[in-house]
Amino acid sequence: MKTRITFYKEEKFKETPIGKIPENWDIRKLGSILNLKNGERPRISENGKIPIYGANGVMGYTTDFLVDNDFTIIIGRVGASGEVHLGQGKIWVSDNAIYSESYRKDEIYPRFLYYLLKFKKLGYFATKTTHPIITQTFLNSLPIQLPPLEEQKAIAHILSTVDKTIQKTNEIIEKIKRLKRGLMQELLTKGIGHKEFKNTEIGRIPKKWDIMRLKDIALVIMGQSPPSSTYNKDGVGLPFLQGKMEFGDIYPSPVMYCSKPIKIAEANDILISVRAPVGDVNLALYKLCIGRGLAAIRFNDKKADYLFYFYYLQKIKPFLETLGKGSTFKAIVKKDLESLKVPFPTLGEQRKISEILLTVDKRLKIERKRKEKLERIKKALMDLLLTGKIRIKVN
């Protein structure tokens, strides 16, 4: 017999200490359905296969176990207090977390409770100290809403299905990122179709490639911060970037504007962070005002493809970080940027290489947007299902 679930909008609610909930839901204190205990200091083993859960999740492995249940709720006690995890089978729980030694199987479905506790954002209730703490006393007295057991299972099934899809998307994103790293290493050092190579001061490159200083193929524009009185969030003037704070994967997302810009980056300029932390790069999608934390690199499009050098600068970020000077506050100066030596393939080969890498980046963007959409769906479902605004009928 197949199980069928149908959704319907709840119309009948009752007032409770935690707000309105459906009439046939119960309110229970967490301690009445979970037997909570503090974890114990673990002994991490290189050969261990049993996961050790801490406040932040799995923190290592051991050869012994503290609890062996079908499901164990783990709640961060110290540090990442309020973080919620779900263990299965044999596990160890560290002393910076609290765990459910047992639970009332006739009243609670643990995976539902896992989602409910995450939804409640327990971290807000931690002590406001240097090391925030959540105590067993607080958790034992925490009132929670409980739908009928079959509805709990249905809610947990729906939310875990979305979680599995998010996890699969994460795996795809990681595969694409590994592919991109591999292609960057291959294409930006070996090019396309070359058989002969040479050793140079920037490493081994194709024999037909030249080496140029950045100033020979591009203009370097150092940022300068305008008076703070010209900053605004009303869209007056040009979008303004002080540093790398609003950098994205490829393009930044400015939140400030400047009514009297001093230094301007044009569309397709490479933006590089020149004040600590140094070396991160983005592309200007449109005209921007840049502050002293950034420089704009504007390539001569008759000699160089800006996308090729965007990817090359991404690849050599560790080297760019070494250009930073200053004992307490690292910064890259204009002279060092202009003197930076870079490979110089033919313009045609530069464009072929950048097209390949851009194709991978476009796929990466699609998967990241898919993940963002799934996370929005999950958030909306949690708000509707865990409050009883939308109910599930199980047939």
Side-chain angles (χ1 to χ4, degrees):
M1 182 181 293
K2 291 184 178 180
T3 299
R4 294 175 56 195
I5 61 174
T6 55
F7 298 89
Y8 65 96
K9 184 178 179 181
E10 181 58 83
E11 301 290 347
K12 297 179 180 180
F13 292 89
K14 61 184 177 184
E15 291 289 350
T16 74
I18 60 172
K20 290 183 178 181
I21 64 171
E23 283 187 347
N24 70 331
W25 284 21
D26 290 331
I27 294 288
R28 297 292 303 275
K29 289 184 178 180
L30 190 62
S32 69
I33 54 174
L34 294 184
N35 180 20
L36 295 173
K37 294 188 71 173
N38 284 351
E40 300 177 17
R41 188 176 295 276
R43 184 173 60 193
I44 296 176
S45 170
E46 290 184 6
N47 300 318
K49 295 183 179 179
I50 294 173
I52 301 169
Y53 280 86
N56 279 308
V58 177
M59 55 179 284
Y61 295 86
T62 185
T63 54
D64 201 1
F65 63 92
L66 193 61
V67 62
D68 182 8
N69 282 330
D70 51 352
F71 293 103
T72 302
I73 300 287
I74 301 113
I75 301 169
R77 185 175 70 87
V78 183
S81 51
E83 290 295 317
V84 184
H85 312 283
L86 190 64
Q88 290 183 272
K90 294 178 179 178
I91 65 169
W92 190 281
V93 181
S94 173
D95 52 353
N96 66 356
I98 296 170
Y99 69 99
S100 59
E101 186 180 39
S102 60
Y103 64 93
R104 292 288 302 269
K105 294 187 178 182
D106 58 329
E107 293 187 52
I108 189 72
Y109 185 61
R111 194 176 290 277
F112 165 82
L113 186 58
Y114 160 75
Y115 285 115
L116 181 62
L117 293 176
K118 287 183 78 71
F119 179 69
K120 285 184 175 292
K121 299 186 183 335
L122 299 178
Y124 288 130
F125 303 102
T127 57
K128 309 303 180 186
T129 56
T130 305
H131 299 289
I133 296 175
I134 279 187
T135 65
Q136 273 194 57
T137 302
F138 165 77
L139 291 174
N140 280 325
S141 62
L142 178 71
I144 61 168
Q145 63 268 34
L146 283 186
L149 190 58
E150 288 304 311
E151 189 173 357
Q152 292 181 37
K153 292 178 180 178
I155 291 170
H157 172 72
I158 291 166
L159 294 177
S160 61
T161 299
V162 180
D163 265 344
K164 287 175 184 176
T165 309
I166 291 172
Q167 178 58 35
K168 287 179 181 177
T169 307
N170 276 332
E171 291 168 3
I172 292 170
I173 288 171
E174 289 305 312
K175 285 180 182 178
I176 297 172
K177 286 165 71 175
R178 289 195 296 272
L179 171 64
K180 180 183 172 183
R181 286 194 296 268
L183 284 172
M184 286 175 70
Q185 180 61 33
E186 185 75 14
L187 295 172
L188 297 172
T189 59
K190 297 180 181 178
I192 299 173
H194 294 276
K195 303 291 186 183
E196 297 181 291
F197 299 87
K198 60 186 177 184
N199 294 318
T200 71
E201 62 263 57
I202 63 169
R204 189 171 172 81
I205 61 173
K207 192 174 182 180
K208 292 183 178 179
W209 286 13
D210 291 324
I211 292 176
M212 300 284 263
R213 291 174 301 179
L214 205 55
K215 70 178 182 179
D216 295 325
I217 55 174
L219 177 66
V220 175
I221 302 136
M222 304 302 287
Q224 184 177 340
S225 301
S228 58
S229 59
T230 66
Y231 303 171
N232 68 90
K233 291 186 178 180
D234 303 320
V236 179
L238 289 180
F240 173 56
L241 294 173
Q242 182 70 271
K244 59 156 280 183
M245 187 69 71
E246 284 85 38
F247 273 17
D249 295 316
I250 299 179
Y251 302 107
S253 300
V255 295
M256 297 294 292
Y257 286 77
C258 176
S259 58
K260 293 182 180 179
I262 299 174
K263 292 298 180 76
I264 294 172
E266 300 286 347
N268 300 334
D269 284 358
I270 294 177
L271 306 171
I272 180 168
S273 175
V274 293
R275 292 173 71 85
V278 302
D280 290 281
V281 293
N282 254 205
L283 287 175
L285 190 58
Y286 37 71
K287 188 177 286 190
L288 296 162
C289 170
I290 55 172
R292 63 178 181 168
L294 298 178
I297 305 173
R298 187 171 303 154
F299 285 86
N300 181 337
D301 58 11
K302 292 182 172 55
K303 293 182 178 180
D305 177 68
Y306 71 95
L307 271 175
F308 173 85
Y309 288 101
F310 167 69
Y311 288 116
Y312 181 75
L313 292 175
Q314 272 192 342
K315 178 182 175 296
I316 65 165
K317 184 191 171 186
F319 174 74
L320 294 173
E321 289 172 341
T322 68
L323 296 180
K325 292 181 171 63
S327 56
T328 56
F329 195 85
K330 300 291 183 184
I332 301 177
V333 299
K334 183 176 183 179
K335 180 182 176 182
D336 287 342
L337 268 183
E338 289 182 329
S339 301
L340 180 68
K341 292 183 177 179
V342 295
F344 189 64
T346 64
L347 184 55
E349 188 174 1
Q350 290 178 37
R351 287 173 176 161
K352 287 180 182 177
I353 290 170
S354 65
E355 283 171 9
I356 294 169
L357 294 174
L358 185 60
T359 299
V360 178
D361 261 337
K362 286 179 179 176
R363 176 65 194 281
L364 198 54
K365 182 179 180 180
I366 290 169
E367 294 301 331
R368 282 177 171 148
K369 283 190 173 295
R370 173 177 165 80
K371 179 185 173 182
E372 289 171 4
K373 183 178 179 180
L374 286 167
E375 287 175 338
R376 288 195 300 270
I377 290 171
K378 178 185 171 184
K379 184 178 179 181
L381 284 171
M382 290 178 77
D383 180 61
L384 294 170
L385 299 177
L386 296 175
T387 59
K389 296 171 187 172
I390 296 296
R391 299 292 303 278
I392 299 175
K393 184 177 181 180
V394 182
N395 298 315

